[in-house]
Every structure is written in structure tokens, then in C-alpha cells.
Amino acid sequence: MRPVAVVAASAVSARGLGWRGLGQALRTGTSAATPCEALGGILAAQVPALPAAQDVEPRQRKLMSRGARLSCVAARQLFQEMPSLPREETGFFLGVGASGGAVEELEAMLEGSFSEAHFDVGRFGTAGLNACNPLFAFQLMNNYTLCHAAIREGLRGPNAAIFSRGAGTVLALAEARYAVASGECETALAGGADSALHPVTWAELRRDGYASVMPGEGAAVLALAPQGTGSSLAILERCEVHPRRQQIDLSLESARRSLIAFNPEVVVLAASSGRGGSAHEIAATVGTGAVLQASEFFGETLAASAALATVVALDLLQEGALRVGVLVAGPDESLGIVGLVREGTS
């Protein structure tokens, strides 16, 4: 298996476009939260107005969820910063969130699908679907968060959209790393895109007990290639998911040992206060002064959390750290670990 390097990156967050400088901003800054009109004025980390040079054409936006639009912007930004990246044989692996369609279309579909106060599958297949625009499906199918960006950039290599609430995006990174390391493709893009600002997604989080979490949105994409094929930003040395099992203590201990073995100088933690208590404890084993809390900075961005934390880690490497670990917690207490090192220190 070939060592794999990160050769380019992009990010879209409440801090705007770009990933350079996010490490220092995380060390010194505070959240960029503003009142969110769609969620009744609560504080949320919203992506500011998107530049026209990267944004999706207005006609195409009608087909997209917010997460899909953010993934398109992140992918376009990546290719604009590194136009020499190949496209046709490039793989694409993305952590994606829940559906995020237009609320008015969703209400019309549900209204047509209910019979005597109960959801009726038969009515859904007839009156429900007839009540909404046929193109609404392109917004609802969460794999289209990847598809729209892949079509827009002409990517035709191996691909997978992986539903993620955090740690699942580390699995997308692991799939991309394996595809490159095994020679299945020479280049692969990997990352995550999501928005917790959709009213349905926010309702889901509140239902599950995360009402204290500050919602956010964002996307980040990394380009991976075999080490030595060009200039690299970092070596992707570790990329693994420790899923919750019946004996959860064993999973947590496995993650703890893996992080300690990696021996990071800094840990970027993507686990908000409303979840991932075990992740906080594991991160602290490397020294509480070396742990940076990304979720309080970007908000809870769900499938984008791991990817945004990873581009922060990249930025910290540029500042001089030799090893930076990313620890991501999912709501099911699955833990993801990404390990980045500067070239020559593996």
C-alpha cells in the first residue's frame, strides 16, 4: 500500500471561504454565530454570502439542498486553487447529512400523504408525490450532496456518499485513502458537507436532546494522492473509526490507545458539549492545553465536522506542529481519528 498525502484542500464555513488561517483563528477567536432567521432567531454559525466565482448557478440551486450547494462550492474552490488536479479518473468520497429540501414542498407532500391523521404509504405514492415538484427528489436524496458536485466538476472515479453525523465522515476519508493507497485511483477527493440549519434537521437534534448545541453549516474537501507525486501539505498517516459496540468501554479504550500511539502534539476535537463526553476525556489524555475545540468555533456542522476539523489540523501543521490529531465524536458515541504529520516525520 502506498503512503497517501494531502495535496490540496478547501473549506466553506461561518468564517467564509478558505482553510488557511483557521488554526490560528481557532486558537484565539470566538464563534462567528449570528441569529438565524430560519430557526426563530437562535444563534447559529451560518456561512456568509457565497462568492459568485464559486457559487452554483441560480437555476441549478433549485435542484439542491443546502449541503449540496456547499459541497459544490468547496469542490469548485479546490479546483480553482489547484487546477492541475486530474478530474475524469478522480475518486470522490463524501460524508453527507440528512435531506434538506424546500419546506413548502415537504409540507405539500406530507399533507397529501396523510389519511385520518396517519402517514399512509399508499397515499404517499399517489397524492403525496403528485403534490410536490418532481425535481424535489434531487433535494431530498442525500447522496445528491455528492452527485451535484461530482457532475459539476466532471469527476468519474470511484465514489461513495456516506451518511454521517460526524465520525462517518472519517470513514469517507478512510475510503478515499484506501482507494489511493491501493492504486484504485491516483487521486481522490474526500470530505463532508452538511447544514444543521434546516428546520427539519434542527428539530431532529432537539428531539434527540441536543437543543443546547449551537447549529452550524459548512463543507470541506481534501485532495489525496500518493506521497511523492507532487508537493504535499501533510501525510495522512491515520484514518480510522471506532464504532460503538455492545461493550462500549472496549471501543473507547481502542480509540484512546490509537490516539496515544499516534502521539499528537495538538488534538483538534470535533465533539460539541451536547455529545461526545467520552471524546473530551480521551482528547485530554494528550494534555488539556493541547486540545482545540472545533465544534464551539464552527458550530455543530454534523457531516462537515470531521472535514472542517481536518483542514484546521492542516493549517496547524503549516504553523509548525509535527503531528496533529483530529478526534471526532458521533451521536452514537462512535469515534473517528485522523492523524496528519508533516512529510518526513512518519
Side-chain angles (χ1 to χ4, degrees), residues 31-33 43-45 202 210-216 295-301:
S31 166
L43 289 178
W202 180 237
Y210 301 113
S212 62
V213 168
M214 181 181 70
S295 292
E296 294 176 0
F297 185 72
F298 293 114
E300 180 50 77
T301 59

Side-chain angles (χ1 to χ4, degrees), residues 52-84:
Q54 288 86 23
D55 199 4
V56 178
E57 299 75 14
R59 188 174 180 181
Q60 293 297 315
R61 290 177 205 163
K62 298 178 181 178
L63 304 176
M64 296 183 183
S65 65
R66 180 68 171 171
R69 185 177 172 186
L70 295 176
S71 78
C72 284
V73 170
R76 178 58 53 89
Q77 179 193 6
L78 188 77
F79 281 105
Q80 287 179 340
E81 291 193 2
M82 195 171 183
S84 61

